[in-house]
């Protein structure tokens, strides 16, 4: 029968290349953004965050870029390694009646080819 | 450092049975969150607590689901009676401080299968 479910965008890169994973958000009031990495059989793992008063933040091998004008952020991974293979989620912080809460998109699957 | 600890890691049970999932947050974290992850809907927030008090349970699917946090180091998510459509991976997460604009730290989840 037909399989119905979330269709995860997939990015396939060669080991050693740089990866860029993109995320669009809709709520212009979002003021805090987190990137998570989820490996098979594990929970999402915090990678890097950025607040809306910044447009770039760098970590170890990772860089997040934020463009509030077009409500877009990206995660750049330098020198991608097989261990980077996972699903990546961006999580903007959006206000609701109970306060600011993270919302998770569907994720992007990164596959690293040796 | 001990992260968020969830138990059991896997649970298989028959429909109609009561299921209890357990979570120990990171010590000192004031916020605790329960999520459900499925292929159909991705990661969904079910409920969250601040200082052991439920703040927003609007994501709890129906009355069969309940969550408690009797103290700062323990929370449970209970499903009674369970149904096959409850099959999913359930994650617990915690975050520090009084401002929810801080990273949530996730456990490795409980994979629940209802037959």
């Amino acid at each position: 029968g037909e399989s119905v479910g979330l269709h995860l965008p997939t990015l396939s890169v060669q080991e050693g290349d740089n990866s860029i994973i993109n995320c669009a958000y809709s709520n212009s009031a979002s003021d805090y953004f987190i990137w998570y990495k989820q490996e098979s059989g594990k929970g999402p793992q915090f990678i890097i965050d950025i607040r809306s008063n910044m447009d770039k933040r760098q970590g170890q091998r990772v860089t997040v870029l934020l463009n509030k004008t077009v409500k877009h952020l990206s995660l750049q991974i330098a020198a991608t390694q097989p261990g980077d293979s996972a699903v990546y989620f961006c999580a903007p912080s959006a206000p609701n009646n109970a306060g600011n809460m993270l919302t998770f998109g569907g994720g992007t699957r990164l596959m690293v080819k040796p | 450092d001990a992260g968020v600890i969830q138990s059991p890691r896997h649970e298989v049970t028959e429909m109609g049975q009561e299921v209890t999932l357990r979570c120990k947050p990171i010590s000192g974290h004031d916020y605790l969150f329960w999520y459900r992850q499925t292929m159909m809907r991705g990661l969904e927030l079910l409920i969250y607590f601040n200082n052991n008090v439920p703040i927003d349970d609007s994501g709890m699917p129906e009355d069969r689901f309940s969550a408690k946090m009797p103290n700062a180091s323990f929370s449970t998510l209970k499903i009674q009676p369970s149904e096959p459509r409850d099959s999913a991976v359930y994650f617990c997460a915690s975050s520090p401080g009084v401002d929810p604009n801080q990273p949530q730290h996730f456990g490795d989840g409980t994979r629940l299968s209802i037959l």
Side-chain angles (χ1 to χ4, degrees):
Chain A
E2 183 180 11
S3 173
V4 178
L6 284 178
H7 172 65
L8 280 185
T10 298
L11 175 65
S12 185
V13 300
Q14 202 70 40
E15 181 179 358
D17 288 351
N18 296 335
S19 303
I20 300 177
I21 300 171
N22 296 303
C23 176
Y25 63 96
S26 58
N27 191 337
S28 56
S30 297
D31 59 0
Y32 177 61
F33 307 83
I34 303 179
W35 279 99
Y36 284 93
K37 171 187 180 183
Q38 186 176 21
E39 297 174 275
S40 179
K42 295 193 173 183
Q45 178 186 9
F46 171 83
I47 302 174
I48 191 168
D49 59 0
I50 188 169
R51 295 194 182 272
S52 60
N53 60 352
M54 304 171 68
D55 53 19
K56 179 179 181 179
R57 190 167 189 208
Q58 287 186 290
Q60 187 178 15
R61 281 200 310 118
V62 295
T63 300
V64 58
L65 300 178
L66 174 63
N67 185 330
K68 295 181 292 294
T69 302
V70 296
K71 296 197 282 289
H72 179 272
L73 66 160
S74 66
L75 178 71
Q76 302 178 2
I77 304 174
T80 312
Q81 302 168 0
D84 296 327
S85 294
V87 176
Y88 290 80
F89 296 92
C90 74
S93 174
N96 66 16
N97 291 338
N100 280 23
M101 291 303 301
L102 297 177
T103 56
F104 288 84
T108 297
R109 185 179 304 279
L110 176 65
M111 298 176 63
V112 182
K113 297 177 287 186
Chain B
D1 287 345
V4 175
I5 300 173
Q6 292 186 246
S7 64
R9 288 298 315 276
H10 303 273
E11 174 91 17
V12 180
T13 192
E14 293 185 346
M15 66 177 294
Q17 297 298 307
E18 178 179 290
V19 173
T20 300
L21 311 181
R22 296 173 176 82
C23 175
K24 176 179 168 57
I26 293 172
S27 178
H29 281 194
D30 292 332
Y31 284 81
L32 183 140
F33 307 81
W34 281 101
Y35 290 86
R36 177 172 67 178
Q37 187 175 43
T38 63
M39 287 296 296
M40 291 293 293
R41 291 187 295 273
L43 198 60
E44 305 172 277
L45 176 66
L46 301 177
I47 185 172
Y48 80 96
F49 296 81
N50 179 19
N51 291 324
N52 313 339
V53 177
I55 302 300
D56 185 355
D57 65 354
S58 59
M60 296 285 263
E62 46 196 276
D63 291 346
R64 297 183 298 106
F65 286 69
S66 63
K68 294 182 179 179
M69 193 165 185
N71 57 62
S73 59
F74 183 65
S75 177
T76 60
L77 178 67
K78 191 169 292 188
I79 308 173
Q80 167 64 20
S82 58
E83 297 182 3
R85 60 193 169 120
D86 302 330
S87 298
V89 182
Y90 290 81
F91 288 104
C92 176
S94 68
S95 68
V98 296
D99 180 354
N101 272 347
Q102 299 196 44
Q104 295 175 25
H105 300 263
F106 284 76
D108 281 337
T110 295
R111 182 173 295 276
L112 177 63
S113 297
I114 307 297
L115 306 177

